[in-house]
Amino acid sequence: MRNPNVILDNLARKAKDKSYTFERLYRNLYNPMFYMAAYNKVYANPGNMTKGIDGCTIDGMSLKRIENVIEKLKDESYQPNPVRRIFIPKKRGGRRPLGIPSFDDKLVQEVVRKILEAIFEQRFSKDSHGFRPQRSCHTALVQCKERFNGVRWFIEGDIKSFFDNIDHYILIGILRKTIKDERFIRLIWKFLKAGYVENWEYRRTYSGAPQGGIISPLLANIYLNELDQYIEKYKKQFDKGTRRRTSKGYVKYQKRTRRFKEKYKPIWHQLSEEEKVPLIKQYKKLEKDRYKQPGLDPMDENFKRLQYVRYADDLIIGVVGSKEDAIKVKRDLTVFISQKLNLELSQEKTLITHSNKKARFLGYDIVVSRTQQLKKRKDGVKVRGNSYKCHLYVPREAWVEKLKELRAIKFSRDNKWKPIHRTYLISHDDLEILSIYNAEIKGLYEYYKLANNVSTLHHFLYFMKYSMFKTYARKYRKSVKQIIAKYNKNGKFGIRYRTKKEQKTRFLYDEGFHKLKGKENLNFFNDNQPPKFYFDARSSLIQKLTSFKCEYCGVENVPIEMHHVRKLKDLKGKQRWEQHMIARKRKTIPLCVSCHDKLHAGKLD
């Protein structure tokens, strides 16, 4: 059996040649090491203990189970199960559908995803950031910040119900350009057409990515890569000129300043201090008038630029040009998306926004500054360093909505927000309550650490802090003042707890909210080196699966089934197998078939 990493690296290397087509992919699905590696990749997700439509979960994973899947794939009798659809509440009301696939389908999809990723990752655009290795919302936002300097208009793209409306025939057509293995293509078709079950009623799927599918985000990127390529070609035709012409007003005052200096420089040493004072004032006024003028002509029709950034189905376009140019770009984009991708660009939500106003992208406000404030460079020359620079901001509603979602504030009678206790946390112990608040505060800060005004999250911290005080107060039926006095330590709020070795104190977050400067702390995709598609098939988990030894009864050279639990804290520790798992801090234990059957029958101890 070939190592999955060797296969994936070979695929990635061949994919560099964009004209290369892949003909023998399906045979890789016969390699058990791929499934062991896929199992190792997905096993930690607690959702794997949720039953799919076949009633099975990750529990009982075994080599025989993998062999059964491979045998079905060999004769193409493998048929993905319909996903079980449930609904989860949205943050702002309503419900979002969530599909729960069977675990065996998850395993096959993870193998297929890795193969497709190795092929297409090399061919994706640098402007695409969603669901890709070493890319994130932050890399997309940093790209906006770097590329949108000087932009006059934003186009905030909104594709109507993208994931539900992917055209299956168009997607398969895109895949066939690169993959010439019809058995592999047929497998993708099966996932697309698997359907879903809602309220015990089967419903077919005629469009859209597989509900809850592991391969869905990657298939979406493959689909929208067509849009990325279109924009890339469109940009080459749209971009015009190499540099804006210098504005006439700036040149006029520049010449006046130069003539003034040339006139008085030869005789400057001959003038008295009294004579120099009015001349210095006159020179400063000339300089001030010069800097009031734009250095480059903002209305230069011979200079145009188009910038584009996409994260999944969220996209934003920056236009250096007129509003008519922005309207034309939106119109052409609408036609392409409709005719070539069979999708609809929402005309109401796809806004054209002037860059001195805020555009919304990935939860940030994006704006291009118009400030004319001067600053000196290291060589002493004055420049308008922030003129037409792109900046990112935290919207006020971002942290307000987060507080509402957490139920940490309420609207008081005097029409102001006030912090309140969170009833659903009262049953937790003191350290858990503090840890939950800290995680929520740090989580919001980590997402908005690129914003110029990230310090505004001090308001969020204030409400969270007093909500926490009130939660403790409600728990112990004391006043907030008494709670602060009880847990205060050297001016900081902290909870004392004991480890095996010593007593420690965990404090409420007080490290401030500092803007992240530069991109040194972001995990950026290196375009000069292809990514390594590492697939770990030699972990301790896999070694246990292939050890053929039961950890409970000690019998060797027998088939092994892996017993899984959702969370370690769900175990009571009353039975010996539970004590075994708790002692090793593992959510899995390899058992022989006999022991596993007895465990589920409640007869193991």
Side-chain angles (χ1 to χ4, degrees), residues 34 118 138 178 216 236 249 292 298 328 404 482 497 504 574 581:
F34 263 109
H138 284 161
T178 303
S216 297
K236 289 179 181 177
K292 285 181 180 178
K328 184 177 184 303
K404 290 181 186 177
Q482 288 172 320
Y497 64 99
K504 293 185 176 181
K574 294 180 180 179
M581 295 179 75

Side-chain angles (χ1 to χ4, degrees), residues 39 53 70 83 124 203 230 326 367 395 407 409 426 449 463 472 476 482 493 505 540 588 605:
Y39 169 57
I53 198 66
I70 292 174
V83 299
F124 285 154
R203 301 185 184 182
Y230 168 75
V367 68
R407 288 180 279 166
I409 57 172
I426 289 176
K449 61 186 176 182
F463 284 105
Y472 282 116
Y476 292 107
Q482 288 172 320
F493 186 93
T505 304
S540 60
T588 58
D605 281 348

Side-chain angles (χ1 to χ4, degrees), residues 64-127:
K64 183 174 178 56
R65 195 166 169 180
I66 291 174
E67 289 168 3
N68 289 339
V69 170
I70 292 174
E71 287 304 313
K72 290 179 181 178
L73 286 166
K74 282 182 178 179
D75 61 14
E76 294 193 64
S77 63
Y78 171 78
Q79 179 62 48
N81 289 293
V83 299
R84 183 163 65 89
R85 178 182 273 191
I86 61 173
F87 291 88
I88 57 175
K90 292 183 179 180
K91 292 180 181 179
R92 299 181 182 178
R95 297 191 305 164
R96 177 179 286 108
L98 179 67
I100 302 175
S102 300
F103 181 73
D104 288 355
D105 295 338
K106 287 183 184 179
L107 213 58
V108 177
Q109 283 196 37
E110 176 60 21
V111 176
V112 171
R113 186 189 71 82
K114 271 296 181 181
I115 292 171
L116 289 176
E117 184 180 73
I119 294 171
F120 285 96
E121 182 60 33
Q122 303 295 304
R123 304 183 179 195
F124 285 154
S125 167
K126 297 176 184 178
D127 303 322

